[in-house]
Amino acid sequence: MTYAVDEKGYYGQFGGAYIPEMLYPNIEELRLNYLKIIQEDGFIAEFDQLLKDFVGRPTPLYFAKRMSERYKAKIYLKREDLCHTGAHKINNTIGQILLAQRLGKRKIIAETGAGQHGVATATVCALMGMECIVYMGKHDMERQKPNVERMRILGTKVVPALSGSMTLKDATNQAMRHWINHPTDTHYIIGSVVGPHPYPDMVARFQSVISEEIRNQLNEEIGNPFPDYVIACVGGGSNAAGAFYHFLNDEHVQLIGVEAGGKGVDTGKSAATTVLGKVGILHGSKSLLMQTADGQVVEPYSISAGLDYPGIGPMHAHLFETGRVQFLNVTDDEAMNAGIELSRTEGIIPAIETAHAIAVLSKMDFAPDDVVVINLSGRGDKDLETYIKWGKY
Amino acid sequence: MNRIKELFKSKRKSLLSVYYTAGFPTLTATIPIAQHLEKAGVDIIEIGIPFSDPIADGPTIQESNKIALDNGMNLHLLLEQVRGIRKCVSLPIILMGYLNPVLQFGFEKFVKEAARVGVDGLILPDLPVDEYLLMYKKIVDENELTNTFLISPTTSEKRIRKIDAASNGFIYAVSSSSTTGAQQGFSTEQESYFKRLQDMKLENPFLIGFGVSNHETFAAVSKYSSGGIVGSAFINLLKNSTDLDSDITRFIKGLR
Ligand SMILES: Cc1ncc(COP(=O)(O)O)c(C=O)c1O
């Protein structure tokens, strides 16, 4: 079994590049160059150096003692929340901006949901002195205000997406339209393992540093690179892709993806794509997609802006279909409770996206010496307003 | 014989193709608009299958898609309406839409139904050429439909040749690197791109669309190609019209 992308850009039946002709030259330029560029010594050296000195990698693999006692397993937290800008998203934006420079691009666009990818993009654009526009659903701009202002402070123009549910899907539509209109001087930094090939593979590679470090750190800590479980939340699936990447072929490592159940998968207010989705095409790739019988994309719902997306990356659709990754989902309330729980047990306020991954601990049965790694994808600073509104603490 | 192929056999100059979204501005407008267009003297009717996420479209067509969906338009109903159009309209009819609704309907079932109700051609902007050749061309050919691909100013000559070879009706040349939208005139850069296409002497005729909105732009594209495709400007007209029959007649007359 191979879980890697094939030469045509597919993971099993999922993936591909379903794009209007106007984008073909851009995507083709990326497809033909990305592997060559990111495997150059000079690229690797600059990428590694920025991850170390600017992002603060390697991020700790922290043994969560009190959580371990509570759930009767050895629980480790991979501290992506300690990355500069507060989430894993910057691993990808550093990689893509270095790539954009080597392709001779001068301007950057991005979409953002929670604003974490937008901030991470705004940050690397400031770092490299590149012009940056970020599209963000109007609704998300309201629920993630601090991140909007962070982007503006960094010199990025934030443009509201006003169509549909005014969330991540709509911001992505707008970014793609912008790219169609500015094809030559602009690179589009997609924020997750979604979009047309080669984006899913490219983003997964940039995020794979997470599992590379987990292996090394576990090996040092317990003399064995393999945990029993790796758990990560899944919006588009980039932090999960990074956390799973170097374990995909080690079938004895159980991989668990956690989707946003919203108010419950049967309520019509959910973003649990593997439960509610069917095969479909959105944003340039074939994957699982929440849609009506008529093929119209359904507006997803989650309390967390970063998980509020009607699809998942094609790689994850394949991992779901093959059974390599088990997908669970948790509701808004379960996630919020888990966020408070982690805050009080370990002194870490997680992003609400991340809190979804924490929330599955109480649904699982561990053996006492099971080693469980949770990818702590981001910190909760951006979510204070949502925590306050929720209020139950 | 396929009405599109027939049309291009007899006429290769100043053809006017008009796009509108099915179910816009009202659910039942699809049939009367087709009748008015035929009466007004257009050559091809392009009916849009509305989609929730039309990434190649600008604000005008995005909005018409949304309104059509809110009105209750779907692919089943659309095919039913085309059957109605065929009772009174003899122009070539093209269905244009994004791939996902078509895949959910079932590609083969869709093509068969479309052919049965009197559709002549398809434009599916996000269907990759290679995938078309591998999986769908046979079905389209068997049902005697045409399939039209887009090309843009950034499409390489080599790829244009490939698309030409894969085409069986006409090619849709997008006037600029942009999403759909009305435009007042063309730049010299755009005109030289039209000229370059003209000089390539392609197997298939080509029509130019995106930004064709008035007499000047239609005349400009007709100079270099078999004609023009009008979309957003027509949608704007429909949006503000109080009398479809006379407004459409006046608009088409103004374009010619
Ligand atoms: C902290 C955090 N975790 C997870 C996600 C979800 O994205 P992905 O599934 O690509 O990791 C986001 C998205 O904004 C995020 O900010």
Side-chain angles (χ1 to χ4, degrees):
Chain A
M1 193 76 221
T2 169
Y3 302 106
V5 74
D6 69 21
E7 68 284 357
K8 289 193 167 143
Y10 284 84
Y11 302 84
Q13 65 161 318
F14 302 109
Y18 298 83
I19 42 160
E21 191 60 32
M22 293 79 88
L23 282 181
Y24 181 85
N26 300 41
I27 296 299
E28 191 64 2
E29 180 183 37
L30 273 180
R31 189 181 71 83
L32 292 173
N33 291 298
Y34 84 108
L35 284 179
K36 205 170 59 200
I37 291 175
I38 71 180
Q39 288 166 356
E40 276 165 9
D41 291 344
F43 182 97
I44 294 170
E46 197 175 350
F47 183 58
D48 288 351
Q49 183 254 321
L50 283 171
L51 287 188
K52 176 168 168 281
D53 299 334
F54 188 68
V55 175
R57 303 204 72 92
T59 59
L61 183 70
Y62 165 70
F63 177 66
K65 186 157 167 287
R66 296 186 63 210
M67 289 292 272
S68 295
E69 279 162 10
R70 174 168 306 172
Y71 291 104
K72 308 204 167 27
K74 299 201 174 74
I75 294 173
Y76 289 85
L77 305 176
K78 180 58 176 164
R79 299 292 308 274
E80 293 301 297
D81 61 316
L82 294 178
C83 286
H84 178 43
T85 70
H88 68 290
K89 296 281 180 185
I90 196 160
N91 303 325
N92 169 45
T93 61
I94 295 262
Q96 284 203 49
I97 199 125
L98 294 177
L99 182 82
Q101 286 181 325
R102 281 157 177 80
L103 291 173
K105 307 291 180 183
R106 288 179 295 109
K107 295 178 182 173
I108 296 295
I109 52 166
E111 85 297 337
T112 195
Q116 283 306 115
H117 174 59
V119 167
T121 305
T123 299
V124 296
C125 286
L127 178 70
M128 300 299 177
M130 280 165 91
E131 197 180 312
C132 180
I133 297 177
V134 171
Y135 288 92
M136 186 169 190
K138 185 164 168 280
H139 178 55
D140 288 340
M141 286 179 73
E142 282 152 15
R143 60 177 162 171
Q144 309 276 228
K145 264 189 220 133
N147 272 347
V148 175
E149 296 314 321
R150 285 165 83 195
M151 285 185 269
R152 288 181 175 147
I153 289 169
L154 289 160
T156 280
K157 186 172 165 200
V158 184
V159 180
L162 301 169
S163 59
S165 58
M166 298 188 245
T167 60
L168 182 53
K169 160 176 97 75
D170 312 290
T172 309
N173 289 340
Q174 273 313 108
M176 289 200 155
R177 290 184 186 117
H178 181 110
W179 209 23
I180 288 173
N181 285 289
H182 303 86
T184 45
D185 62 351
T186 301
H187 175 70
Y188 175 18
I189 301 190
I190 293 186
S192 192
V193 286
V194 301
H197 177 68
Y199 276 104
D201 185 50
M202 184 168 74
V203 176
R205 284 170 188 263
F206 290 144
Q207 291 292 0
S208 70
V209 62
I210 299 173
S211 47
E212 189 184 315
E213 288 177 4
I214 294 173
R215 285 179 75 119
N216 292 339
Q217 289 165 324
L218 268 188
N219 205 18
E220 229 162 74
E221 175 102 3
I222 60 168
N224 171 2
F226 302 114
D228 296 289
Y229 295 89
V230 180
I231 302 174
C233 67
V234 176
S238 67
N239 88 85
F244 297 165
Y245 198 89
H246 289 288
F247 297 114
L248 286 172
N249 294 321
D250 304 303
E251 307 265 350
H252 57 288
V253 178
Q254 296 191 51
L255 307 175
I256 294 170
V258 187
E259 296 184 299
K263 299 208 186 284
V265 291
D266 302 324
T267 62
K269 286 193 142 302
S270 176
T273 305
T274 60
V275 180
L276 300 168
K278 285 181 304 186
V279 179
I281 291 172
L282 180 69
H283 298 147
S285 64
K286 187 182 280 181
S287 188
L288 290 171
L289 178 64
M290 291 168 58
Q291 56 186 314
T292 65
D294 194 40
Q296 308 299 338
V297 182
V298 166
E299 307 291 358
Y301 163 82
S302 166
I303 192 168
S304 121
L307 304 182
D308 200 350
Y309 186 72
I312 49 173
M315 161 189 172
H316 289 293
H318 182 58
L319 293 171
F320 171 70
E321 199 176 65
T322 56
R324 178 64 188 98
V325 173
Q326 183 190 358
F327 282 81
L328 303 173
N329 63 78
V330 305
T331 63
D332 287 356
D333 279 344
E334 289 168 331
M336 294 306 290
N337 283 321
I340 302 297
E341 179 191 349
L342 187 73
S343 304
R344 303 220 164 148
T345 316
E346 297 290 346
I348 300 169
I349 305 176
I352 294 170
E353 291 80 11
T354 313
H356 285 71
I358 313 286
V360 298
L361 286 176
S362 63
K363 303 184 171 203
M364 308 218 11
D365 261 328
F366 297 117
D369 53 1
D370 277 347
V371 173
V372 179
V373 174
I374 299 175
N375 195 34
L376 213 76
S377 60
R379 57 179 178 245
D381 307 28
K382 71 184 176 60
D383 293 315
L384 269 191
E385 204 159 312
T386 310
Y387 275 115
I388 292 165
K389 244 190 222 153
W390 187 72
K392 295 170 207 154
Y393 52 86
Chain B
M1 178 160 171
N2 180 289
R3 293 176 194 83
I4 294 170
K5 292 184 180 170
E6 201 152 343
L7 171 68
F8 280 105
K9 263 193 183 156
S10 60
K11 192 177 170 196
R12 283 212 171 190
K13 273 283 138 206
S14 297
L15 292 173
L16 175 57
S17 179
V18 175
Y19 167 94
Y20 65 101
T21 309
F24 173 85
T26 60
L27 189 59
T28 54
T30 319
I31 298 176
I33 290 171
Q35 288 176 295
H36 299 321
L37 285 172
E38 181 164 65
K39 200 178 105 199
V42 313
D43 299 293
I44 300 173
I45 297 175
E46 247 176 64
I47 302 176
I49 307 165
F51 183 48
S52 53
D53 295 82
I55 57 163
D57 287 297
T60 304
I61 296 181
Q62 281 174 46
E63 192 194 2
S64 70
N65 274 255
K66 177 165 193 318
I67 291 172
L69 291 173
D70 290 347
N71 286 342
M73 182 46 67
N74 61 53
L75 200 41
H76 289 274
L77 183 56
L78 171 50
L79 289 165
E80 205 43 55
Q81 291 185 341
V82 173
R83 190 206 305 277
I85 293 174
R86 265 293 163 245
K87 291 194 176 129
C88 48
V89 169
S90 59
L91 290 179
I93 295 175
I94 291 173
L95 295 187
M96 175 165 188
Y98 293 84
L99 196 51
N100 197 52
V102 171
L103 289 187
Q104 298 315 312
F105 193 94
F107 194 92
E108 181 156 11
K109 183 174 151 212
F110 166 72
V111 169
K112 285 190 165 143
E113 285 284 299
R116 208 164 53 83
V117 299
V119 169
D120 302 285
L122 306 175
I123 305 176
L124 303 165
D126 56 349
L127 171 60
V129 183
D130 288 328
E131 183 149 333
Y132 170 74
L133 293 173
L134 200 68
M135 294 169 66
Y136 302 122
K137 183 172 188 305
K138 190 162 163 279
I139 301 168
V140 172
D141 287 345
E142 276 169 8
N143 288 279
E144 290 175 36
L145 296 189
T146 65
N147 185 60
T148 287
F149 292 103
L150 272 53
I151 58 177
S152 88
T154 53
T155 309
S156 70
E157 168 155 0
K158 185 168 157 223
R159 188 162 168 83
I160 294 174
R161 298 276 176 214
K162 175 177 175 170
I163 286 171
D164 192 28
S167 301
N168 64 346
F170 69 97
I171 290 171
Y172 189 146
V174 171
S175 68
S176 62
S177 300
S178 70
T179 46
T180 54
Q183 214 173 294
Q184 286 312 311
F186 293 119
S187 63
T188 47
E189 226 178 341
Q190 283 173 293
E191 295 224 9
S192 67
Y193 154 64
F194 302 158
K195 178 87 177 52
R196 180 161 64 84
L197 285 179
Q198 185 183 35
D199 292 344
M200 282 182 74
K201 308 246 177 295
L202 299 171
E203 293 289 319
N204 292 273
F206 66 98
L207 300 177
I208 297 173
F210 287 36
V212 180
S213 64
N214 52 23
H215 179 75
E216 289 69 34
T217 45
F218 181 64
V221 300
S222 295
K223 206 165 113 193
Y224 302 99
S225 71
S226 295
I229 302 168
V230 178
S232 297
F234 187 66
I235 298 288
N236 280 330
L237 175 91
L238 295 180
K239 190 170 128 185
N240 301 315
S241 174
T242 46
D243 180 352
L244 284 179
D245 190 359
S246 67
D247 286 342
I248 290 174
T249 306
R250 194 170 26 78
F251 178 78
I252 300 299
K253 205 177 246 163
L255 275 170
R256 288 284 193 187

